[in-house]
Amino acid sequence: MKISFRPRLLDTLPGYGRASFSQDLSAGITVGVLALPLAMAFAIASGLSPAAGIWTAIVAGFLISVLGGSRVQIGGPTGAFIPIIYAIVVDYGVQNLLIATMMSGAMLLAMGAFRLGSMIRFIPLSVVIGFTNGIAVVIFLSQIKDFLGLQIANLPGEFFGKMKALIDALPTLHLPTVAVAVASLLLLLAWNRRAARTPWMRRMPGPLAALVIMTALNALFSLPVDTIGSRFGGIPRDLPAIALPELSLGTLGKLIAPALTIALLGAIESLLSARVADSQIDDRHDPNQELMAQGIANIAAPLFGGFAATGAIARTATNIRTGGRTPMAGAIHALVLLAVVLVLAPLASAIPLATLSAIVVVVAINMGEWHAFAPTELRRYSVQYRTILLGTFFVTVVFDLTLAVELGMVLASLFFIYRMSDLTRIERIQIEGENPSDGTPRILAYRLFGSLFFGAANKLENLLLMQDGHPAVVILDLDKVINIDTTGLDILQTLHRNLHKRGAELILCGLNPQPGSLVQRSGFSERLGPDNIAADLAAAVARARQVQPPAAEVSYV
């Protein structure tokens, strides 16, 4: 198989001029400014330093834009990764998180190279909504500690342990922290609402506005709250040393499952973001190239102390809204972040952690599709859809995302098999002149509908038992059968053997391309005989009347 590697950047360079650069520069600066508070907030919520989030946005964001398959995708850390990253940090430590991230990058690179990008779309919408809303709840719960200023040394990653720790720590609630968090939340919500009607406010993203205002107030009044400086010692201005994480062979096998979770979530979120972007700019992204770029970015980011990154829907939408139309806007956004770190890093020490917590809370609220849980909305869909949606949501919140996706996919597959089996049916066809006085027809004909596969195998049990009698010829009209799998073929072969033992014949007619191809490739057509595969029912009946033996020659034993 030939591996194709062609970033969309190469397609946009011909004809790229000053006007295009001006648009990309404006969009890149805006998105870079927006990405700063989000990168720090997501990193802190994941149990990492704010510098880890910033360098993830710089390194991974640059590579995703320059090497990706979308013209406008903006990459970096996202809220969806918070529960996964936090759990890995708690269970395995930061160094093993970096290794798991690089492993996930290799998986993503392989998925893109082997052209598996389109397969991500096979995940049902009910599973996507279920785990997206579940992740939003988990993110919200993870912010209660910093939002309320609770004194918890290490917040457990497991749901029940986390809830117990939060409840036990409620007496340590810190009122100044709550006041800053609530003020930041109200300011952010009000800014976002007014920005929709006020042009000048749209130039400064809501998260940045809340960050600047609350940081300025903290610097002026020395508020008694935790800050980036007090907890993390600020953000280093120096470039991080490029280094491989320490590899522990003893835990390498244990990291496969977390790495696969990061890879799957990254693939799903990035391709969903790219699809949303396509609809806004009337374009079509290359999903395989996008996955390869995501893979390279996740391999490179940990070398700089970063962690998992993917396509960010909110930042991508902001890029489009502010005029970005080529990957250069994403590259500029990464360079803007780099400039901010090198020049303004000392000012970050005064940023209140409660403000960053409020930003993440708003992200969690906005990322959930809460209308999908409304009773009126749920009643519109089948029991199977509701079961998958609510089951995936519940398992995501209480257990973990990997198990939730696995459960959702298993339930979706089982319900699909049941539905396809239910749609598959067999009808008896009355053949003119086949009403013998002894009640035993010489020719039996059946028309099959749907798919003859392992889930519908029981539909042919009556034929195998010959409950409709013991004819000399059985005709199966497969004109309405769209698919046959090996189990369905085995049933047909069993029916043929049973009839052959009694001296009776099996005739197939109306074979569509896929069933016909399987019958030919398996050699079943040779055992049937070319004359016993007819073009249509009329030809099959004519053939049956030629080959049916006298009644005395047919054994009914």
Short mmCIF file of all heavy atoms in Angstrom, two decimals, residues 196 340 346 435:
data_model
loop_
_atom_site.label_atom_id
_atom_site.label_comp_id
_atom_site.label_asym_id
_atom_site.label_seq_id
_atom_site.Cartn_x
_atom_site.Cartn_y
_atom_site.Cartn_z
N ALA A 196 -21.04 39.30 21.60
CA ALA A 196 -21.84 38.95 20.42
C ALA A 196 -22.50 40.18 19.81
O ALA A 196 -22.84 40.18 18.62
CB ALA A 196 -22.90 37.92 20.81
N VAL A 340 4.84 35.35 23.58
CA VAL A 340 4.25 35.69 24.88
C VAL A 340 5.06 35.06 26.00
O VAL A 340 5.35 35.70 27.03
CB VAL A 340 2.79 35.24 24.94
CG1 VAL A 340 2.25 35.34 26.36
CG2 VAL A 340 1.93 36.08 24.00
N PRO A 346 6.94 36.49 33.20
CA PRO A 346 6.93 36.91 34.61
C PRO A 346 5.56 37.40 35.09
O PRO A 346 5.24 37.28 36.28
CB PRO A 346 7.97 38.03 34.66
CG PRO A 346 8.89 37.75 33.51
CD PRO A 346 8.00 37.18 32.45
N ASN A 435 -49.98 -27.49 -6.36
CA ASN A 435 -50.95 -27.79 -5.30
C ASN A 435 -51.35 -29.26 -5.40
O ASN A 435 -52.48 -29.60 -5.76
CB ASN A 435 -52.20 -26.90 -5.42
CG ASN A 435 -51.87 -25.43 -5.20
OD1 ASN A 435 -51.36 -25.07 -4.15
ND2 ASN A 435 -52.16 -24.61 -6.20
#
